[in-house]
Structure formats: structure tokens, C-alpha cells
Amino acid sequence: MKDTKNGLQKNKTKRVTVFLRNLIDGSPLKADGTLARYSKKDKLIRLYFIFFCGFMAAMSIQTRFGSGELIGGFLISSLLMFILYRDIMRYKPAYTKKYNMLLLLGLLLISTLLIGRLFGYLMFSLSKGLEYQSPESALYGIPIAAGAMFVSLLFDFHTAITFSFTVSLLTGLWLHDAAFSVYAFVGSITAAFSVIRCKKRSELLKGGAYVIAANVVAVIIILLFKGDLFTLKAPSSIMFAVIGGMSVAALVSLLLPLVEYLFKVTTDISLLELLDLNQPIMKSLMVTAPGTYHHSVIVGNLVESAAEAVGANPLLARVSAYYHDIGKIKMPDYFVENQAGAASRHEKLTPHMSTMIIVNHVKEGIELAKQYKLPEPLLEIIEQHHGNMLVTYFYQKAKEKGDIVVPVEEDYKYPGPKPQTRVAALVMMADAVEAASRVLTEPTPARIASLVDRIINHIFLEGQLDECELTLKDIHEIKKRFTYILTGIFHKRIDYPGFDFSNENLYKEPAKAYKGKPSENGKTAKEGSQASRSPQG
């Protein structure tokens, strides 16, 4: 019993120690519970960034300048910034690896406060100009919720929640009104929630309508709490709440394309535009490598369905599947799906040279993606969708040649890296499964399920999924979705009466069957067929 208690106490102490070290160092936990260390330079940069954002936020909320107010505002702002940073480190550590994303988040927070002050001044002046009896009601027209809507679009909904909490408290400190913190938080959460799956720019207007409704409800409740609901203050407050919601939609619609361009951030709206098959790169793929194009479309169907099952972004999954093999445009005839019955180009090449051509389509794809200015997530998936897998066919062919020099496995592998995200892993698995399904002679549901199971198990055992966030439960769901989609693709059809598709004389038999029977214009089938082939027909 004593040993058990001592063991439990040691484990508890270890967990507390890891937690404290994690809190102090600002290092995220790996999947196995160990700490992922950052260098001292990275830690200092993040620390300076937190203090800088805290100072700028403190300057933004100052109503009167004094040493006490400035120091107090700086400490409060820094504390809130630290909470926001720690939440990101815990749930979305990938953002902290990209300085542009951290900079964007800090700028969004500070600019939200500054734009809020600007609109507060303008609305207050408007209220005075219209000679309202309660000019302070103009503060409800401040578009604080725009910041949360931006964060939800550019980052994710969870980050938007913490961002809304931080901005709402800072706004309440600026206005010295706790009730306005509630108003700002309600509007911000509504704005973030309304654009979770925003795929069209027109949906931003719908999000603005939701913010207007939330603002009006929040204002009515606050006025009721303060006892001002049945006074002259109510109509003007509700009017400015409506203006605030409209301002949110206008600001986000106007500034979102600029922010996407400057910080190279990809939203679902941008992805939806890339889904258009009339894009120049997709047209080129369709004409130059039709087999690869068809393969990519099927892979897109597979990954989109699987992404929905594991909680990944289905739109990003489908778009990345469409573009993952664009590198084959350079040398399409060297890939089997584009070889229309002709002799393979690889018959005259050595296995090593063939491997170099096959592997090189990843590099060519990255270059084409940069040339056509595709978003960064697509470049990463193009680079990772084969990981560091072995090109087994040509490696075995090199071994069978019986040369004196034994082939080295590294010379027959893709350069990597392994998939770093769930979407990249989905594209890898769907790519392999769809290609393998083409060799099934009789694609029955049982055979398709067996094929999917073997291919994905091989990828898993080879260690290609070690660096992404997929769980065993996710892999099980992926297998089910892949099997379901492929079974639908390889569905059976009944035989057409009068047609024997295995007969070489397929197209001669129908003509014989109708030989001598006159058509509507009085000609026989044979005569009509000859006329249709004549230059005049």
C-alpha cells in the first residue's frame, strides 16, 4: 500500500512539475505528454510580443493619461494577453509557430480597440448633432464584434471565443461600464458563430444580420437592468445597436480580402473560389493529363467524406485533393493513368531514372502552385501527400535486375516530409486507395473493404501517420467512408438487351439486326450509315 501511495504521489508531483514548467516556458505538450521545447530566442520573442501587445492595448483604452492608470492598464492588458496566448498554446499551438499569425492576432486585437474608439467618437458626435437627450447611447454603435468575426474567419471559432472575452473586458475598462462588456461579448460571440462555415462573401451580410439581432436583444436587456427601457434613451440605443451590426458586416466585407492578401491567410471563401474547375491550372490538368484529373476528382470525393467524419475541414480537403497531383502536368505520359494503351515510357529507362521522374512530380507541383499563387496550405499538402514513402514497384524492379550494386532504399523514396495535418494524411490515404482500386478485377463490396483496410494499414505501419493528429478511431471512420464511396463508384449495372460488350463485333451486330429495315426517310440502315459517313452528311 505504501509503495502504491508513493507511486501515485510521484506521478502527481511529476504532473504538477510538468504543468508548472509548461506554464513558465510557454512550451506546448506533445501527443505523448512530453514538452515540445522552444529555443530561448523563440521564448523571448513571444514574451516581448505579449508585453508589446499589452502596452498597445493599454494605450488604446486610456481615457486620461497618468502613470498609475497607464501602469495598471498595462498590467491588466498584459495579463489578458497572456491568458489569450496560453489558450492558443494549449488548443492551437500551430499558430504560435508562425510569427505572421501571432502578429495578425495582435494587430486584430489592437485595431479592434482603436477602431472602436474611432467609431465611438464618430457616433458620439452624430448623437450630439442629432440632439439626442442621451448621447451616451451612441456607444452601442461601436463595431467591437468585427474583431471576433475576423478571428473566426482567419483562425478558428475557439480562438475567437477567447479573443471576444479579452476584447470585451478591455472595452469595459475603457468605457468604465461593466454592462458594455456584456454587450460587446454577446455581439462578438454571435459574430464569431455566424461565420464558422462561411463559404461565400454574401454570407458576411447574413452574419451582420445576426449581430444586429444579438445587439438589439442585448441592449434591451441592459436597458431593462438599468431601468431605462421605457425612457427616451431606448429608441436611440436600439437604433445605434442596429448601426453597430451593420458596421460589423461592412468592415469585415471591406477589409477581409486585404488581410488575406497581406498575411497570406486562406479562408473558406478563398478555397471555394479555387474549387472552380475553370481555374487555369485545372483546365491545363484536364487537357494535358485527363487520367490524373479524373483521379483527383475521385480523391476529392473520398477525402471530403472522410474529413467530415474526423472533424477536419471538408472544403480544404476537397480543394487540396484537386490540386495534389498538378505536378504531373509536366510529364503526363510517364504516369500510368494517362497512358492510353500505348507502351509505357518507363520500358526504356532504368528503375532509378523512372523513380526520379515519378518522385519529381511533387517538386513540380510545388513550383506550379507557387507560379499560380495557390495558398500555403495547398503547397504543404502537395509536398506532404506522399510523405517519405518508398516507390515499391521500381525498387523491386531494381532489385530483380541482379546488378552487383544493391539499390539503396533512400534513392527510391519521396523526399517528405510526412503528413503534418489530418487533411494531408487524408489525401495520402485517398490517393493510394483510389489508385489501388483500379486493379480490382471484380470490385465487390467485400473486396473493396479488404483493399481499403490493407492500404491504410500499410501506410499506418510504415509510420507515415506519426506526425499528424489522427487517432485510431479516426482511421476506423476513414476506412468506413472510403469503402462506402468506392462501393458507390464501382456499382453494378444490368446488361443491356441486344448488346454483348465482350464481343469484338459489338458495333456490327446491331447493323445486321436492322439490315434491310427502312428508316423514316425510306433508306435502309446500311444506306443511312453510309450517308452519315459521307463528307456531305
Side-chain angles (χ1 to χ4, degrees), residues 57-101:
M59 294 291 292
S60 302
I61 63 174
Q62 293 297 310
T63 53
R64 55 179 184 177
F65 287 95
S67 58
E69 289 82 357
L70 183 59
I71 294 173
F74 170 71
L75 293 176
I76 293 173
S77 301
S78 298
L79 178 60
L80 292 175
M81 286 298 302
F82 180 75
I83 293 172
L84 175 61
Y85 175 75
R86 292 302 305 142
D87 183 77
I88 294 172
M89 289 293 298
R90 176 65 181 86
Y91 293 101
K92 296 291 180 180
Y95 293 146
T96 62
K97 298 177 183 178
K98 300 178 181 179
Y99 289 134
N100 68 318
M101 298 302 289

Side-chain angles (χ1 to χ4, degrees), residues 269-285:
I269 298 173
S270 303
L271 291 174
L272 194 66
E273 293 170 355
L274 290 172
L275 203 59
D276 183 8
L277 297 181
N278 288 320
Q279 293 281 345
I281 185 68
M282 292 305 296
K283 278 190 172 181
S284 178
L285 183 66

Side-chain angles (χ1 to χ4, degrees), residues 21-61:
R21 289 171 62 189
N22 186 25
L23 183 67
I24 295 170
D25 292 345
S27 304
L29 289 174
K30 292 181 181 178
D32 58 0
T34 59
L35 289 174
R37 294 291 180 185
Y38 286 120
S39 64
K40 289 184 178 180
K41 181 180 178 181
D42 289 332
K43 293 175 187 176
L44 285 175
I45 291 174
R46 286 167 174 78
L47 188 64
Y48 292 151
F49 178 75
I50 291 173
F51 286 144
F52 173 76
C53 290
F55 176 76
M56 292 302 298
M59 294 291 292
S60 302
I61 63 174

Side-chain angles (χ1 to χ4, degrees), residues 4 47 65 75 178 210 256 309 320-321 355 373 391 405 446 489 529:
T4 304
L47 188 64
F65 287 95
L75 293 176
Y210 285 122
L256 182 61
S320 58
T355 302
K373 298 180 180 180
V391 185
V405 180
I489 292 172
S529 177

